[in-house]
Amino acid sequence: MIQITSPFRFAGTIALGIGVLMLIGWGIFRLIWGSPVIQISGDFEIESGAGASQVWKALDEQGFVTRTLSLKYAGWREDAESKIKAGTYYLEAGETITEVVRRFTTGDTQPGEITITYPEGFTVQQIAARTAARGIGTEEAFIAAASDPAAYAADFPFLGNLPPNRTLEGYLFPDTYKVFPDDTPTDVIQRMLATFDQRARAADLPEKARIAGRTIDEVVNMASIVEREVISDDDMAMVAGVLWKRNDEDTGLFADATTRYILNKWDGALTVQDLAVDSLYNTRKYKGLPPGPISNPGLRALLAAAEPQESEYYYYLSATNGETIFAETNDEHNRNKAQYLQ
């Protein structure tokens, strides 16, 4: 018996085969031409006179890519060998081949969108330096823009009652932000203030501060100290409780981070001369909270300052391994210093 194959079935087989080939072709196209190849974010230097092959090899060796075939193809399409321009390029993880190669050939050292991460505890000065390093204004311009809270009070009423001569220290919320090359320091500041407002409201921070009998500014001030004094997030509420107790009992905070702030000395041991500096930020010499926050705290520090943990402790120190050691008496605290701060 002779079996005759239906022409429709034959045509369907051909169509299926064509469809599979098209999918494979599309996958190859995406792999070579459009897939994100940059694995890490960071600066990449192209020296004067460097050829395309040298650039692709350097990208691979520095960990920016895991393969170079797609880059070579894209480079060929863009005639990169004769167009690559020297410079320091900031590459973003996830950038596509077309974006990277075209920026190399046009000399566009910044991607269309820039990601900047500001860690918890950064000061205005540190934020200004990081922002300027990413090509957004200058340090001086950022510090100037952050020195006038009244300019932002209409949009952010929580700034309206700040004392005179204050900056935005404490209110520039630490987070990862997306910015653009044509943004100004003021644009960045407004986003950071908006994030502070959003996170504070979401955590019900104003109500928590009211229940504790504190103003938002007092909570931010204390949180800025806790952020810099404590290594472990788990100990923040306990340390906040110790500091509020010392503040309320008018015994002095004795928080060395406040002295480090006024000296801008965040590393190394404080000397006797450092600890004797005559400044209202020296909480060994002057009782109460310092004149303003000493850093820009994260949400956990803010919540710790608003909802401190009560205890019998009056003293604490951060051991070299990051552990916070508490004490009830000064004698016990001195023994802890001898044991844990060698």
Side-chain angles (χ1 to χ4, degrees), residues 230-236 322-324:
V230 188
I231 297 175
S232 169
D233 292 340
D234 296 335
D235 296 326
M236 284 185 171
E323 182 182 4
T324 306

Side-chain angles (χ1 to χ4, degrees), residues 39-56:
Q39 304 299 307
I40 58 175
S41 298
D43 289 329
F44 177 71
E45 181 76 24
I46 297 180
E47 296 182 358
S48 179
S53 60
Q54 293 172 279
V55 172
W56 312 150

Side-chain angles (χ1 to χ4, degrees), residues 25 42 82 97 115 226 285 302 308:
S82 62
I97 295 167
T115 301
V226 170
K285 290 177 67 71
L302 288 165

Side-chain angles (χ1 to χ4, degrees), residues 96-327:
T96 64
I97 295 167
T98 53
E99 292 169 339
V100 172
V101 174
R102 284 173 183 169
R103 289 209 290 118
F104 287 169
T105 59
T106 60
D108 181 7
T109 57
Q110 293 286 348
E113 189 176 66
I114 306 168
T115 301
I116 309 180
T117 297
Y118 303 103
E120 289 90 347
F122 256 34
T123 64
V124 165
Q125 186 173 1
Q126 290 171 315
I127 291 173
R130 177 160 294 191
T131 305
R134 300 305 308 279
I136 308 299
T138 64
E139 288 187 49
E140 294 76 15
F142 190 100
I143 291 172
S147 298
D148 185 15
Y152 307 89
D155 293 325
F156 306 104
F158 55 86
L159 299 173
N161 295 323
L162 292 186
N165 302 319
R166 281 280 298 277
T167 71
L168 291 173
E169 192 81 84
Y171 293 92
L172 302 181
F173 197 85
D175 204 343
T176 297
Y177 293 87
K178 297 289 187 181
V179 299
F180 296 90
D182 59 350
D183 279 340
T184 66
T186 298
D187 294 327
V188 177
I189 287 170
Q190 287 176 330
R191 287 175 199 162
M192 299 182 85
L193 291 173
T195 303
F196 176 93
D197 190 28
Q198 178 186 13
R199 299 291 178 82
R201 289 178 182 275
D204 206 18
L205 191 67
E207 179 63 13
K208 287 179 170 65
R210 187 194 65 79
I211 292 173
R214 317 285 183 188
T215 67
I216 283 291
D217 194 49
E218 288 172 332
V219 168
V220 171
N221 200 337
M222 179 61 78
S224 75
I225 300 171
V226 170
E227 188 73 75
R228 280 293 194 168
E229 282 278 297
V230 188
I231 297 175
S232 169
D233 292 340
D234 296 335
D235 296 326
M236 284 185 171
M238 184 77 79
V239 169
V242 172
L243 291 174
W244 277 128
K245 183 191 304 185
R246 297 182 66 86
N247 178 79
D248 296 343
E249 295 181 3
D250 205 28
T251 57
L253 298 183
F254 281 73
D256 288 345
T258 61
T259 301
R260 289 186 179 278
Y261 175 76
I262 197 62
L263 296 174
N264 194 26
K265 183 179 180 180
W266 295 108
D267 299 315
L270 292 174
T271 66
V272 173
Q273 291 78 13
D274 291 337
L275 295 174
V277 62
D278 188 16
S279 168
L280 292 176
Y281 282 92
N282 186 346
T283 52
R284 286 174 175 260
K285 290 177 67 71
Y286 295 93
K287 297 177 181 179
L289 292 168
I294 65 166
S295 75
N296 292 277
L299 186 59
R300 278 177 287 194
L302 288 165
L303 291 175
E307 297 182 307
Q309 183 174 339
E310 295 184 3
S311 70
E312 299 299 319
Y313 299 125
Y314 274 85
Y315 305 88
Y316 66 90
L317 59 84
S318 293
T320 53
N321 65 356
E323 182 182 4
T324 306
I325 310 298
F326 295 91

